[in-house]
Amino acid sequence: MPDMCGIVGMVCAEQVATKLYDSLIQLQHRGQDAAGIITCNERLHFKMGLGLVRDIFEDRHIKRLEGTMGIGHTRYPTSGSKAFVEEVQPLWTSVPNGIAIAHNGNIVNPEVLREEVTVQRKLYLNTSSDSEILLHLFASSLQQYLEADISESMDDEQFFEAAVASVQSLSELVEGSYSVVGLIKDRGLIAFRDPHGIRPLVLGKKTRTGHDEYIIASEDTMFHMLEFEYVRDIAPGEVVMVTKQGHLFSQIFAHASYNPCIFEYVYFARPDAVINNISVYRSRLRMG
């Protein structure tokens, strides 16, 4: 069964929690079973819950979600359990650096990957979610690339190269669809899309007081409200990293046939969204 989760990530000059909350409200149609937000300053701050966004986050939660970068997720589960808050995304791990991800997609070889994570890499999986498998595949690969160097001494470009290699390693194992936004403590926001471009991922930007701010989300439905301008879609097989200072890096890690999911245009996406540079509303008119 195809999924329709909503994901968003943001790097700004000011606190992002309220903006992430507003973004999840705009992505509520993509998942109404659960939602979560993780932000980062000197540490990771998180709040997850079951139900609708407006019922999960109160003012006191938003106030303690401190940080100028963060990610959020609205969940419509197609793997794992609906009943356990432990399954709610974003998911995070402390090694290396402190990494969190939010995933929109559907992995079709989870049992093979579960064995890779638990048997070959000797890592523990706490949920039945295929998104946790993605988290550990990426994090453990990144850790291997960082072991040759002290990560604190790597500049942003070197760190991005290690992140791209980690995503490339993941893509060689994973079968299925995945659009991912992630948070790497002390580094910034990372996002990547599977080589077939099955699930959407859109990049927005605004410049204020000389600082570039970025948003990456499943849809551009919140861009205008938050004063972001649409830049482009994240390309199939592309990795993007935005540093804490607002510097953008991007690279294609794999090429494959382009196969976006038609259900985005038929059902999943909001009518006012533009996905893969195509108006959802106009596509529905043309399809009758």
Side-chain angles (χ1 to χ4, degrees):
M1 178 180 181
D3 73 293
M4 50 181 281
C5 296
I7 60 176
V8 59
M10 204 175 297
V11 175
C12 293
E14 58 186 15
Q15 301 290 304
V16 296
T18 300
K19 294 182 178 66
L20 288 170
Y21 173 84
D22 291 339
S23 296
L24 293 185
I25 291 291
Q26 300 299 314
L27 293 171
Q28 184 72 90
H29 60 286
R30 297 187 68 91
Q32 301 181 9
D33 288 287
I37 292 174
I38 288 184
T39 60
C40 182
N41 48 16
E42 291 78 22
R43 53 166 288 188
L44 298 180
H45 307 273
F46 51 88
K47 168 63 179 174
M48 290 86 166
L50 302 174
L52 299 175
V53 172
R54 67 171 183 267
D55 298 326
I56 297 167
F57 299 98
E58 301 175 9
D59 288 343
R60 60 190 177 95
H61 300 133
I62 299 299
K63 288 178 180 177
R64 67 176 176 81
L65 289 170
E66 299 178 354
T68 57
M69 57 183 184
I71 59 176
H73 186 272
T74 60
R75 185 175 189 231
Y76 175 83
T78 56
S79 70
S81 171
K82 291 185 179 183
F84 299 110
V85 73
E86 291 84 6
E87 304 265 334
V88 180
Q89 298 184 49
L91 301 170
W92 68 280
T93 181
S94 58
V95 179
N97 287 68
I99 296 175
I101 71 162
H103 164 225
N104 175 30
N106 193 23
I107 307 306
V108 299
N109 62 335
E111 295 308 318
V112 173
L113 299 178
R114 192 174 298 276
E115 182 177 354
E116 169 69 24
V117 170
T118 58
V119 178
Q120 303 300 324
R121 306 196 186 194
K122 304 293 190 294
L123 298 171
Y124 172 66
L125 291 171
N126 193 49
T127 73
S128 56
S129 169
D130 54 7
S131 303
E132 188 186 11
I133 296 173
L134 284 182
L135 170 65
H136 286 299
L137 287 174
F138 174 72
S140 60
S141 294
L142 183 60
Q143 184 178 13
Q144 289 180 355
Y145 288 109
L146 298 183
E147 281 177 351
D149 200 339
I150 300 174
S151 62
E152 287 79 2
S153 69
M154 300 175 72
D155 62 26
D156 289 333
E157 187 171 357
Q158 291 171 321
F159 191 90
F160 177 63
E161 290 174 358
V164 171
S166 302
V167 174
Q168 190 168 24
S169 174
L170 175 152
S171 73
E172 293 170 357
L173 296 171
V174 176
E175 298 176 8
S177 59
Y178 50 92
S179 285
V180 174
V181 292
L183 193 64
I184 304 176
K185 183 184 177 295
D186 297 328
R187 288 293 178 175
L189 181 73
I190 190 165
F192 52 92
R193 192 177 178 198
D194 71 76
H196 294 287
I198 299 170
R199 292 284 156 231
L201 207 54
V202 186
L203 175 68
K205 176 184 178 182
K206 67 178 173 181
T207 301
R208 183 171 48 183
T209 62
H211 188 283
D212 290 335
E213 302 181 344
Y214 287 94
I215 183 172
I216 301 174
S218 296
E219 301 177 15
D220 65 344
T221 46
M222 75 291 293
F223 284 14
H224 179 72
M225 178 187 71
L226 298 177
E227 300 179 336
F228 283 93
E229 292 186 5
Y230 167 85
V231 175
R232 62 179 177 86
D233 292 89
I234 304 298
E238 183 181 18
V239 185
V240 171
M241 187 176 85
V242 182
T243 69
K244 293 192 300 180
Q245 295 76 28
H247 300 140
L248 179 72
F249 296 86
S250 66
Q251 183 175 321
I252 301 294
F253 65 87
H255 296 275
S257 59
Y258 183 37
N259 296 305
C261 179
I262 193 173
F263 273 87
E264 291 290 345
Y265 301 99
V266 173
Y267 177 62
F268 291 165
R270 228 171 69 171
D272 56 334
V274 177
I275 294 176
N276 303 312
N277 210 29
I278 296 171
S279 164
V280 172
Y281 175 73
R282 292 179 70 86
S283 71
R284 289 176 183 174
L285 284 179
R286 290 168 179 166
M287 287 187 286

